[in-house]
């Protein structure tokens, strides 16, 4: 078994990623007998009510006999029951029955302390879309779920719980504390997984892992040992991000920077042996006790004469530091003089190490000043800042304090200000690992989606620093390092896979009486990027694609935060709009771009869910009874996968089937390219714009006025065929309502979740598409004319239609003169009698009054614009607004005049007649 097979230390994903491996990891897969589609005799209990159903059992599974008792709308409360049914049937497990290459996604594991937020909703939606699509395509599909132990977050939660009981962690032994954490995990740790299920995530939950599971812990230890053997893990004292309240180092990714109001302090540093002084501008005067140099730009004429001399650090009883040249000093910032405090600034640290300057640390681990700060020892860093500035003012070394916007690093977990601090930690050399990951993209073994993020990926890996992997916590994977009692622990230590192995190694080297103790720290496995670790331990890229999505923002485009009060709870959203509407809204975004989430979008997509439901009700109400074998033989006799059959269909049926086949080809291509926004928009437009608004209406002529079942059967067949394919296309986006509608349709032998994806490259009749589009244009023109003349929706008007030069209803010249003439194109025209639509005399009078009012408004605008006083003195945007209103009014006047002339000419014709 390869290490990767033991190694979901790759659980700590930076990217939302997925795999299209050539073969499945044997750890993940076990062959099983295909799960048959079960009989639906239990469905009355498991499924919500689309309609009143009775299930009949047969050898092929459940079949539904529908009645007319149809629910008004889809019941969101039924989603959990549908989900539980899917899971109980084993549909989430990989199925080898249809063959095909496996498709695998490892879930970016959420924190065990977490609760669902819109970021989870986004990645769950997108990954579930991928999984459901490839499952329907017949590929053995695995979505591997897991939960991260979240060392810092979990320890914080349990420490607060203990504090409420009056207990401090430091009063407990390590074993006692971790026991309490495990108890908390068993009681509350499943919350986030259950909430993810509520989003419809079709993960194989039988394979769910927790990052502290024994198998995974062994993999982490094995990875540490091997990396140490290769010289890629080392111990040293270097600059890290230190969290004073958490009392641990944190990674760069756990530090968030915020723009905050602060001050820039200007302080005098006297030049030794001279009456001169240099003024330093700093945001952190309390760190001056750690100053080891001053730096100026070598070409700064103000200070170049002082280079090589010594400066005296204020309030340090005359401690001298050199004044050095540094081309990186920003001459425009502050005073152009930079104090170098390498113990408390990343850039200063690198500068000092390059020149061999000493590193002075003035801070204790709890954020108080240490003995290096002299009389300020024991003071909190921010308290020391205030006191120090007051003393600088008293000694006249303070020049000024001015407001300044600071970029403050704060802990993502605790929220307090992070302190850059030199600390002894364990590190991983990242450059050799990153190089291989860069080559994977360069060679095309790994694809970043969207492609534009390759630059970010390359930049990040090309500039990556060695990663601090040790954390001063009790909850996590303990570092597999043992020290020798009485020996220098920086030089004498043992790396082993277990305590027994460590003892054995120690006895071999130091004798039988040797005593050892384990490093108290735990590992931060954030450093294990899957690409780097996969290549390092298996020699191959662990997956083929990395898909990156954007942030979910509020309707105003702001990042969601508790401070702004704009956080949207997915579970509350589901209760109001349904899971399908939420998923569809999130999936309509563009890969890699942020999405603004608004109530309007959710409401619109809830309406889309209802439209699907209502279409399903219409179709079910207009299908023959399942006992009517003759009617069903007629329906099932229609085949839509051969060209002759599609060409033989009547116009509207041929049109909608052809459009459906075009849709299937298009969305299948978009699914394969991960263009999910395009899939959603195309499916939405076809279903609502073509199928619901046009074909369902067109089908009513055959269903209601056919005079016999034989004529209605073609419409019934097309309705059923088109709708079931629409459900397939939309299922990855909207799994619940589509499955419910699918199960209500007659003759369902398989669940929609495991049904076959529609066949592509099916025939289409381009001629029927063109002809029907012309007919649509005519209908739209008639509708527009009715709206223009304010014809009441319920009022019927006559129309004379001319098609292909054959007059369907003969009209006289006089009738034509008193009609609205509409041209749809390609020989299709219509005449709408004005008398049917409007009282011409009354309309002339109304428009004349309206024209007079518009003319008066227009004249007012012209008068304003003709006034030099207004044009010259009014604000530019006000003048521009008046010009725009004048242009708009002029256009309306022209249109109204034209319409009046047309109506008046018809009044004259009528009088002459």
């Amino acid at each position: 078994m390869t290490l990767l097979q033991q190694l979901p230390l790759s659980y700590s994903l930076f990217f939302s990623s997925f795999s299209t491996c050539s073969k499945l990891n044997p750890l993940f897969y076990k062959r099983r007998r295909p799960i048959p589609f079960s009989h639906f005799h239990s469905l009355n209990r498991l499924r919500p009510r689309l309609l009143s159903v009775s299930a009949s059992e047969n050898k092929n599974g459940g079949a539904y006999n529908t009645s007319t008792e149809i629910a008004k709308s889809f019941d969101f409360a039924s989603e959990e029951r549908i989900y539980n049914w899917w899971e109980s049937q084993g549909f989430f497990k990989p199925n080898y029955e249809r063959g095909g290459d496996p498709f695998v996604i490892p879930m970016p594991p959420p924190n065990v302390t977490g609760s669902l937020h819109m970021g989870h909703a986004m990645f769950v939606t997108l990954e579930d879309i991928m999984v459901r699509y490839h499952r329907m395509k017949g590929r053995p599909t695995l979505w591997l779920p897991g939960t991260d132990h979240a060392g810092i977050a979990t320890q914080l939660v349990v420490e607060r719980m203990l504090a409420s009981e009056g207990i401090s962690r430091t009063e407990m032994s390590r074993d006692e504390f971790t026991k309490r954490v495990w108890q908390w995990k068993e009681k509350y740790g499943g919350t986030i997984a259950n909430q993810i299920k509520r989003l419809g995530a079709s993960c194989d939950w039988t394979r769910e892992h927790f990052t502290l599971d024994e198998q995974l812990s062994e993999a982490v230890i094995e990875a540490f040992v091997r990396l140490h053997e290769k010289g890629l893990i080392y111990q040293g004292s270097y600059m890290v991000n230190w969290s004073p309240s958490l009392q641990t180092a944190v990674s760069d990714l756990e530090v968030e920077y915020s723009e905050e109001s602060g001050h820039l302090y200007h302080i005098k540093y006297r030049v030794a042996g001279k009456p001169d002084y240099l003024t330093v501008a700093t945001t952190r005067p309390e760190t001056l006790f750690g100053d080891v140099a001053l730096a100026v730009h070598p070409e700064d004429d103000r200070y170049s004469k002082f280079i090589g001399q010594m400066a005296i650090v204020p309030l340090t009883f005359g401690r001298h530091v050199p004044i050095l040249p540094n081309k990186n000093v920003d001459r425009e910032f502050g005073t152009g003089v930079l104090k170098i405090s390498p113990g408390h600034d990343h850039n200063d640290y690198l500068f000092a190490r390059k020149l061999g300057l000493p590193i002075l640390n003035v801070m204790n681990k709890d954020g108080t000043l240490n003995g290096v700060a002299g009389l300020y020892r024991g003071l909190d860093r921010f308290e020391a800042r205030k006191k120090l500035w007051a003393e600088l003012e008293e000694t006249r070394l303070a020049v000024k304090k001015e407001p300044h916007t600071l970029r403050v690093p704060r802990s993502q977990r605790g929220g307090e200000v992070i302190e850059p601090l030199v600390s002894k930690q364990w590190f991983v050399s990242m450059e050799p690992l990153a190089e291989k990951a860069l080559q994977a993209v360069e060679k095309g073994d790994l694809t970043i989606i969207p492609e534009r993020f390759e630059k970010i990926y390359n930049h990040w890996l090309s500039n990556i620093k060695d990663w601090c992997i040790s954390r001063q916590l009790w909850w996590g994977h303990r570092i597999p390092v043992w020290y020798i009692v009485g020996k220098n622990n920086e030089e004498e230590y043992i790396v082993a896979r277990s305590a027994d192995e460590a003892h054995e190694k120690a006895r071999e080297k130091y004798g039988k009486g040797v005593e050892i103790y384990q490093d108290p720290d735990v590992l931060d496995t954030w450093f294990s990027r899957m690409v780097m670790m996969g290549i390092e331990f298996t020699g191959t890229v662990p997956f083929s694609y990395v898909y990156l999505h954007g942030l979910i923002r509020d309707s105003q485009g702001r990042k969601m935060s508790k401070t702004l009060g704009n956080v949207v709870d997915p579970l509350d959203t589901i209760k109001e709009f349904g899971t399908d509407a939420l998923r569809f809204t999130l999936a309509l975004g563009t890969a890699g771009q942020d999405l603004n989430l608004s109530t309007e979008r959710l409401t619109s997509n809830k309406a889309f869910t209802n439209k699907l439901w209502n279409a399903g009700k219409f179709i079910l109400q207009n299908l023959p009874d399942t006992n009517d074998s003759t009617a069903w033989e007629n329906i099932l006799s229609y085949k839509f996968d051969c060209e002759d059959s599609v060409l033989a269909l009547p116009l509207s049926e041929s049109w909608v089937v052809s459009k459906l086949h075009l849709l299937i080809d298009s969305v299948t291509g978009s699914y394969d390219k991960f263009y999910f926004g395009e899939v959603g928009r195309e499916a939405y437009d076809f279903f609502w714009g073509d199928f619901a608004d046009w074909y369902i209406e067109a089908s009513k002529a055959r269903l209601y006025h056919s005079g016999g079942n034989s004529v209605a059967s073609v419409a019934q067949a097309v309705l059923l065929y088109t709708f079931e394919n629409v459900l397939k296309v939309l299922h990855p986006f909207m799994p619940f309502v589509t499955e419910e509608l699918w199960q209500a349709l007659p003759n369902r032998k398989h669940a929609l979740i495991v049904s076959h994806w529609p066949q592509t490259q099916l025939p289409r009749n381009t001629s029927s598409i063109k002809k029907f589009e012309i007919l649509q244009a005519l209908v739209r023109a008639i509708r527009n004319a009715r709206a223009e003349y304010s014809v009441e929706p319920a009022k019927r008007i006559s129309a004379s239609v001319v098609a292909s030069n054959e007059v369907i209803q003969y009209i006289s010249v006089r009738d034509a003169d008193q009609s609205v003439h509409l041209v749809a194109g390609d020989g299709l025209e219509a005449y709408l009698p004005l008398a049917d639509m409007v009282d011409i005399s009354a309309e002339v009078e109304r428009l004349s009054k309206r024209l007079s009012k518009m003319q008066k408004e227009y004249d007012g605008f012209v008068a304003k614009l003709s006034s030099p006083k207004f044009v010259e003195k009014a604000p530019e945007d006000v003048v521009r607004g008046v010009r725009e209103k004048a242009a708009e009014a002029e256009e309306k006047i022209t249109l109204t005049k034209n319409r009046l002339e047309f109506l008046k000419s018809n009044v004259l014709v009528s009088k002459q007649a």
Side-chain angles (χ1 to χ4, degrees), residues 284-321:
R284 304 187 65 202
E286 70 277 9
T287 62
L288 63 78
F289 298 108
D291 290 353
V292 298
L294 296 186
V296 297
H297 196 284
E299 298 174 5
D300 192 329
D301 295 336
R302 296 173 294 175
Y303 309 118
S304 57
K305 63 182 178 181
F306 296 113
I307 293 174
Q309 299 185 41
M310 304 295 285
I312 302 174
V313 180
L315 307 182
T316 61
F317 304 101
R319 186 163 64 85
H320 289 39
V321 296

Side-chain angles (χ1 to χ4, degrees), residues 581-784:
L582 173 60
R583 287 171 56 118
F584 195 76
T585 302
L586 297 177
L588 285 182
T590 302
Q593 293 186 359
D594 294 353
L595 176 72
N596 294 356
L597 186 66
S598 66
T599 301
E600 290 75 18
R601 286 186 175 186
L602 290 165
T603 301
S604 173
N605 292 323
K606 180 182 178 182
F608 183 51
T609 305
N610 290 336
K611 192 75 171 180
L612 270 174
W613 188 263
N614 291 333
K617 289 197 296 183
F618 172 83
I619 293 167
L620 288 166
Q621 288 171 332
N622 287 281
L623 289 176
D625 190 276
T626 52
N627 295 323
D628 189 343
S629 58
T630 302
W632 277 102
E633 283 178 9
N634 287 336
I635 291 173
L636 297 177
S637 67
Y638 289 95
K639 304 298 179 185
F640 304 100
D641 57 355
C642 63
E643 188 173 358
D644 290 343
S645 298
V646 175
L647 293 175
L649 290 171
L651 176 61
S652 57
E653 282 71 26
S654 180
W655 166 77
V656 77
V657 169
S658 297
K659 290 279 283 186
L660 171 69
H661 292 170
L662 289 171
L663 172 77
I664 291 170
D665 286 354
S666 180
V667 298
T668 300
S670 294
Y671 268 118
D672 289 337
K673 296 174 183 175
F674 313 105
Y675 296 165
F676 303 125
E678 289 300 311
V679 173
R681 284 183 285 273
E682 289 183 63
Y684 182 102
D685 290 343
F686 171 80
F687 169 74
W688 199 310
D690 292 335
F691 182 67
D693 283 357
W694 287 96
Y695 181 68
I696 284 182
E697 293 306 312
S699 71
K700 292 176 182 178
R702 301 190 193 284
L703 296 172
Y704 301 160
H705 307 292
S706 65
N709 288 337
S710 59
V711 179
S713 64
V714 65
Q716 291 168 330
V718 169
L719 283 168
L720 184 59
Y721 172 74
T722 306
F723 191 62
E724 66 182 9
N725 279 287
V726 166
L727 294 179
K728 287 183 178 183
V729 165
L730 284 172
H731 177 74
F733 283 72
M734 310 173 79
F736 293 108
V737 69
T738 54
E739 184 72 76
E740 182 71 348
L741 288 165
W742 176 269
Q743 295 300 341
L745 296 174
N747 305 313
R748 302 300 98 184
K749 297 181 180 180
H750 302 281
L752 179 57
I753 188 175
V754 290
S755 66
H756 290 209
W757 186 254
Q759 184 181 342
T760 56
Q761 298 300 314
L762 291 169
R764 69 288 312 264
N765 186 342
T766 55
S767 176
S768 68
I769 293 175
K770 184 177 180 181
K771 289 176 181 177
F772 198 84
E773 286 175 349
I774 295 171
L775 179 60
Q776 287 177 303
L778 179 62
V779 174
R780 291 191 184 101
I782 293 173
R783 289 173 177 169
N784 292 338

Side-chain angles (χ1 to χ4, degrees), residues 170-228:
T170 56
E171 299 171 359
M172 309 173 69
S173 70
R174 184 174 191 139
D175 288 343
E176 288 173 336
F177 178 75
T178 53
K179 182 178 180 181
R180 290 294 299 268
V181 181
W182 276 109
Q183 289 173 352
W184 179 92
K185 186 264 178 187
E186 293 305 315
K187 187 173 182 179
Y188 302 105
T191 299
I192 187 67
N194 290 329
Q195 291 176 334
I196 285 175
K197 290 181 179 182
R198 191 66 188 85
L199 288 166
S202 56
C203 307
D204 185 355
W205 294 103
T206 64
R207 303 171 189 262
E208 183 181 8
H209 282 289
F210 180 56
T211 51
L212 288 182
D213 287 347
E214 183 178 356
Q215 181 189 21
L216 304 191
S217 296
E218 290 176 358
V220 171
I221 291 171
E222 181 67 26
F224 184 99
V225 172
R226 292 195 191 183
L227 290 173
H228 184 268

